């Protein structure tokens, strides 16, 4: 059982504040991913929890007990870094056993613990090898093994597979997930790769410039981004965002994108759901899969011209000119043959997001 709670954490480096009033409650056995751009404070947060960095304000609670004054060694938390350093002169077995040698554990028990961890990580056949004989992925497995062998209260991982090539990263991602399901331990994992975050996390914490932007399951942050930052940070290709104006027509609401001369048709309910914001400065957000296109005219579809077509294997991304604005649509591959084609587009109202332009906050319109 390990719960971790961060309450009102503030951190300065000199005069610069890098963490602002950070609050987060992590449940036992939960896999939490801290996601954000370089410099947003992910590593600092992780190091503060581990006890490798002091904090200037707030409480860090492990199972309800404040630990911010405890030394790292007394917090019983293991950390795996991107640049893992194995002892080159020791075998894999000795590298994993190392943290146990410092305890009073008998050699029989050390042997048993190391072999158990090696079995889970599927590196039993490497136990006799030296690090120089290992691949990058295997080295990282050993580093994880060394962190796990003490059976710590929680695992903290800072971009543990960031240095590996794309194929190996994908493999290790699946491995880390399998390990978590099997072993179960409260885990906080740092990455700037949103795909890694989506695939691993029970909940993602999206950070920007030292502030938490949103905490939610992968589906929540993808389907209901709290603000424009999250909307454009999560998801690939990125969400289209455009200035929008909404006007009421006889039987529908018209959403005009940028300086376009006609609007997209939305259900009239949009006006009441915008709740007084309809006249204000709005931004419309729509993911490429929410921009629907067809070849012939139909009710509610607007004539548009295609621009660049990007073939991405299993699908294409097509740029559509709407006024002077470009909207990107996701289509079956080969649906559009190239630029300059006339097609008909519509925005799926159930996939549309509306934001207040000034604050960037989602207006949480659900149609
Ligand atoms: N020891 C330090 N002294 C001064 N400033 C620091 C120190 N460590 C980090 N910072 C600054 O604090 C901010 C947050 O850094 P941090 O390393 O936590 O970011 P990060 O999200 O882990 O970034 P990255 O993805 O690049 O690893 C950055 O502006 C960084 O320059
Ligand atoms: Mg970092």
């Amino acid at each position: 059982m390990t719960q971790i709670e961060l309450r009102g954490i503030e951190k300065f480096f000199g005069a610069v504040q890098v963490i602002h009033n950070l609050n987060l409650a992590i449940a036992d056995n939960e896999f939490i991913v801290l996601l954000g751009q370089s410099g947003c404070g992910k590593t600092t947060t992780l190091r503060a929890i581990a006890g490798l960095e002091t904090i200037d304000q707030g409480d860090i609670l492990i199972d309800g007990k404040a630990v911010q004054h405890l030394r790292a060694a007394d917090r019983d938390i293991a950390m795996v870094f991107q640049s893992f350093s194995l002892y080159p002169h020791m075998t894999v077995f000795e590298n994993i056993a190392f943290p146990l040698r410092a305890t009073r554990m008998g050699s029989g028990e050390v042997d048993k613990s190391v072999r158990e961890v090696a079995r889970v990580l599927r590196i039993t056949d490497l136990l006799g090898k030296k690090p120089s004989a290992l691949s990058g992925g295997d080295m990282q497995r050993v580093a994880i093994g060394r962190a796990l062998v003490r059976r710590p209260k929680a695992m903290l991982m800072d971009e543990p597979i960031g240095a590996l090539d794309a194929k190996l990263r994908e493999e290790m991602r699946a491995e880390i997930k399998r390990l978590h399901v099997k072993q179960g331990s409260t885990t906080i994992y740092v990455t700037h790769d949103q795909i890694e975050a989506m695939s691993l996390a029970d909940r993602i914490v999206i950070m920007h410039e030292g502030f938490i932007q949103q905490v939610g399951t992968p589906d929540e942050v993808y389907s209901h981004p709290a603000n424009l930052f999250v909307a454009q940070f999560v998801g690939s290709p990125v969400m289209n965002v455009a200035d929008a104006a909404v006007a009421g027509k006889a039987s529908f609401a018209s959403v005009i994108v940028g300086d376009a001369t006609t609007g997209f048709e939305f259900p009239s309910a949009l006006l009441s759901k915008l709740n007084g914001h309809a006249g204000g400065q709005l931004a419309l957000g729509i993911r490429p899969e929410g921009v629907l296109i067809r070849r012939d005219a139909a009710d509610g579809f607007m004539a548009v011209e295609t621009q660049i077509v990007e073939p991405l294997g299993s699908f294409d991304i097509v740029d559509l000119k709407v006024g002077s604005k470009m909207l990107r649509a996701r289509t079956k591959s080969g649906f559009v043959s190239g630029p300059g084609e006339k097609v008909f587009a519509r925005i799926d109202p159930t996939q549309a997001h509306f934001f207040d332009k000034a604050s960037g906050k989602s207006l949480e319109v659900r149609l």
Side-chain angles (χ1 to χ4, degrees):
M1 272 289 286
T2 306
Q3 292 160 336
I4 299 176
E5 197 181 338
L6 308 176
R7 281 194 199 151
I9 307 294
E10 314 257 351
K11 172 70 185 173
F12 290 80
F13 282 114
V16 182
Q17 184 161 9
V18 298
I19 303 290
H20 300 260
N21 187 28
L22 189 141
N23 293 283
L24 181 66
I26 301 167
D28 180 43
N29 221 352
E30 196 172 19
F31 200 115
I32 286 281
V33 175
L34 305 184
L35 174 67
Q37 290 155 336
S38 183
C40 72
K42 304 178 298 292
T43 296
T44 305
T45 304
L46 214 58
R47 286 172 55 83
I49 297 168
L52 302 170
E53 196 74 75
T54 58
I55 54 174
D56 296 296
Q57 196 66 247
D59 294 302
I60 299 170
L61 296 104
I62 299 181
D63 292 332
K65 204 177 118 222
V67 300
Q68 64 269 21
H69 303 298
L70 294 185
R71 291 181 309 151
D74 297 327
R75 296 191 193 186
D76 194 14
I77 283 179
M79 190 150 165
V80 179
F81 302 92
Q82 175 174 352
S83 51
F84 40 94
S85 46
L86 301 178
Y87 301 109
H89 58 286
M90 290 183 188
T91 61
V92 166
F93 182 98
E94 279 308 321
N95 266 285
I96 297 176
F98 192 79
L100 300 177
R101 299 286 187 213
T103 67
R104 289 217 200 107
M105 193 181 271
S107 66
E109 193 150 348
V110 168
D111 193 75
K112 203 171 136 231
S113 303
V114 172
R115 283 180 194 286
E116 165 62 15
V117 164
R119 193 180 56 77
V120 173
L121 288 164
R122 299 196 274 210
I123 49 171
T124 303
D125 52 334
L126 303 179
L127 285 173
K129 292 195 172 162
K130 293 273 176 64
S132 57
L134 305 182
S135 68
D138 285 338
M139 278 198 227
Q140 195 57 311
R141 285 189 184 89
V142 177
I144 292 170
R146 193 167 61 182
L148 276 178
V149 77
R150 287 193 292 116
R151 299 209 154 257
K153 280 194 171 155
M155 275 287 268
L156 310 184
M157 301 200 212
D158 193 355
E159 312 236 10
I161 57 178
L164 307 178
D165 66 52
K167 185 170 174 296
L168 198 50
R169 268 211 311 274
E170 205 169 301
E171 222 175 280
M172 284 298 291
R173 202 167 75 201
E175 190 94 336
I176 288 171
K177 185 149 192 167
R178 189 184 60 82
L179 186 70
H180 178 74
V181 169
K182 190 161 179 182
Q183 191 96 345
S185 72
T186 308
T187 303
I188 311 177
Y189 185 104
V190 161
T191 183
H192 60 262
D193 178 345
Q194 46 119 359
I195 296 176
E196 214 169 287
M198 297 289 273
S199 81
L200 285 170
D202 290 324
R203 284 189 304 154
I204 301 177
V205 177
I206 295 159
M207 295 177 68
H208 182 52
E209 294 177 348
F211 290 93
I212 289 185
Q213 302 291 310
Q214 186 170 5
V215 181
T217 63
D219 181 53
E220 279 163 1
V221 298
Y222 186 83
S223 305
H224 305 294
N227 58 37
L228 280 169
F229 179 83
V230 175
Q232 296 201 279
F233 193 68
V234 173
S236 171
V238 297
M239 185 187 282
N240 297 291
V241 172
D243 292 357
V246 179
K249 302 281 176 186
S251 59
F252 60 91
S254 173
V255 176
I256 296 158
V257 168
D259 57 359
T261 46
T262 48
F264 288 103
E265 279 186 31
F266 271 64
S268 299
L270 174 63
L271 288 156
S272 59
K273 296 204 175 178
L274 280 170
N275 206 5
H277 285 91
Q281 298 280 305
L282 291 178
L284 164 75
I286 185 78
R287 296 198 186 279
E289 65 261 34
V291 180
L292 314 176
I293 63 177
R294 47 182 292 147
R295 263 187 227 297
D296 23 80
D299 254 10
F301 280 75
M302 185 195 289
V304 291
E305 194 177 296
T306 63
Q307 306 272 309
I308 292 167
V309 179
E310 263 183 273
L312 293 175
S314 54
F315 60 90
D316 289 352
I317 292 293
V318 180
D319 285 5
L320 304 171
K321 199 156 180 290
V322 178
S324 59
K325 176 81 191 163
M326 230 39 100
L327 280 188
R328 311 185 83 203
R330 178 176 165 143
T331 68
K332 276 193 301 195
S333 52
F335 184 79
V336 166
S337 52
E341 235 175 88
K342 197 175 154 203
V343 294
F344 296 86
R346 177 172 177 244
I347 287 176
D348 176 2
T350 65
Q351 295 189 60
H353 303 264
F354 290 89
F355 303 91
D356 174 58
K357 239 182 87 181
S359 68
K361 279 208 178 109
S362 169
L363 297 169
E364 311 210 352
V365 172
R366 308 223 176 142
L367 289 165

